[in-house]
Amino acid sequence: MLSFYSLFSASNYSELLSTIISFIGVNIPYITLFIFSLVVTHIALNTKICDMVRDKKYSLRCYILTALIALTIFSLSTIAFSRNITIGSKSLSTKVVMLFIALAITPLQCFSEEYLFRVVIARLFNSDKNFVKLILSIASGIIFLVLHKLSNPEFLISPSIMLNLYYFLFGFLSMLLGLFLEDFTFPIIIHSINNLFIVIVCNYAGSPLESASFFISSTIPSPLISSIAMIMIFALTFFCAKKNRGELHGKEKEINEG
């Protein structure tokens, strides 16, 4: 018991407070976007958020599997290809408290991004034509790339072709997956797992995502490896979801025939 309380000694309070303020400060725009999303959806559009996010139904098992796929591939690619990983400099008490704060705030941040820059766009230009879906996905990729360039001054000053490609692909594949599965829950989950992994498990020097992660990489992860890992995650999610949808459709058909 004494050892537990010692984690939260007075000497750690100032570090904890400054870390929390910094983390929340970075996420205030996203929290604002989340509130704005609720207002627009329920008042202006008179539509439930779940109806905006998805048309098709998938099982909870499929969503959990998506999270596990993303977490596994992010973890393996980081362990296998990252260099100079060291233990984070923040105190253990700060890391523990920030873990719970990140679990509460980061999914809202990711939901807000996905909702405003993918779901809303998809609903405004709703179409079953594959050509339109491709155009919307390209536009989403460009928006995602530009937003991340503006949020990270170092990225803006010294751009990397592969880093540009990585951010473009993230936005492009998120929109494409949501449109073809008719459910944006999947890209929201993948985005959330990606950001939670960075904020809680292993961040990198110069990251715009303020955190108290347990580990720190002295260099940014390889954009090429990150792009390959991301493509694998989206591809596996797509095939698992399509299989799950087929199973649910078969069960519905049996019930209706019965």
Side-chain angles (χ1 to χ4, degrees):
M1 185 65 72
L2 290 174
S3 61
F4 175 79
Y5 283 115
S6 67
L7 292 176
F8 298 92
S9 61
S11 61
N12 293 331
Y13 285 156
S14 59
E15 177 192 73
L16 175 60
L17 185 60
S18 63
T19 304
I20 291 175
I21 291 174
S22 179
F23 180 75
I24 293 178
V26 169
N27 284 282
I28 281 178
Y30 299 105
I31 296 173
T32 304
L33 286 176
F34 176 71
I35 296 173
F36 176 76
S37 302
L38 294 178
V39 172
V40 169
T41 301
H42 284 285
I43 297 179
L45 300 179
N46 194 27
T47 308
K48 295 180 180 179
I49 285 184
C50 60
D51 293 335
M52 289 283 288
V53 171
R54 66 184 186 184
D55 289 323
K56 298 290 186 180
K57 291 183 179 180
Y58 297 87
S59 69
L60 177 61
R61 177 173 59 87
C62 192
Y63 296 132
I64 294 174
L65 184 59
T66 296
L68 291 176
I69 288 172
L71 182 59
T72 300
I73 294 179
F74 283 137
S75 301
L76 291 177
S77 62
T78 299
I79 294 171
F81 298 101
S82 292
R83 296 180 180 179
N84 303 321
I85 296 179
T86 58
I87 297 176
S89 60
K90 303 290 185 181
S91 64
L92 181 59
S93 59
T94 299
K95 292 175 184 177
V96 171
V97 174
M98 282 300 299
L99 185 151
F100 292 101
I101 293 176
L103 286 173
I105 293 180
T106 300
L108 297 183
Q109 172 236 322
C110 297
F111 168 82
S112 301
E113 282 192 67
E114 294 294 326
Y115 189 83
L116 288 177
F117 302 118
R118 272 177 268 285
V119 175
V120 171
I121 293 174
R123 295 306 180 189
L124 288 175
F125 302 94
N126 189 26
S127 175
D128 292 331
K129 296 181 179 179
N130 290 338
F131 176 73
V132 175
K133 292 179 180 180
L134 180 62
I135 295 299
L136 290 178
S137 299
I138 292 173
S140 180
I142 294 173
I143 291 172
F144 196 75
L145 168 62
V146 171
L147 288 175
H148 282 78
K149 285 176 73 74
L150 294 176
S151 66
N152 192 340
E154 292 184 6
F155 177 32
L156 190 62
I157 295 172
S158 55
S160 160
I161 293 177
M162 283 308 306
L163 194 57
N164 278 284
L165 180 62
Y166 168 76
Y167 283 118
F168 171 79
L169 281 175
F170 204 123
F172 173 81
L173 293 175
S174 292
M175 177 66 93
L176 203 64
L177 185 71
L179 288 172
F180 277 96
L181 293 182
E182 297 180 70
D183 187 348
F184 283 90
T185 306
F186 293 104
I188 290 172
I189 290 173
I190 294 171
H191 196 163
S192 297
I193 293 295
N194 174 75
N195 285 17
L196 282 171
F197 184 83
I198 293 173
V199 171
I200 296 174
V201 181
C202 186
N203 208 335
Y204 58 91
S207 170
L209 289 173
E210 296 288 341
S211 72
S213 60
F214 285 86
F215 300 95
I216 294 287
S217 173
S218 61
T219 58
I220 188 171
S222 167
L224 175 59
I225 299 301
S226 297
S227 297
I228 294 173
M230 180 182 57
I231 291 171
M232 291 175 61
I233 291 169
F234 279 97
L236 288 172
T237 297
F238 177 79
F239 288 116
C240 289
K242 292 295 286 185
K243 181 180 178 180
N244 179 250
R245 184 60 197 161
E247 292 173 352
L248 290 179
H249 180 72
K251 290 180 180 178
E252 291 174 356
K253 187 175 180 181
E254 290 178 4
I255 292 173
N256 292 332
E257 290 177 351

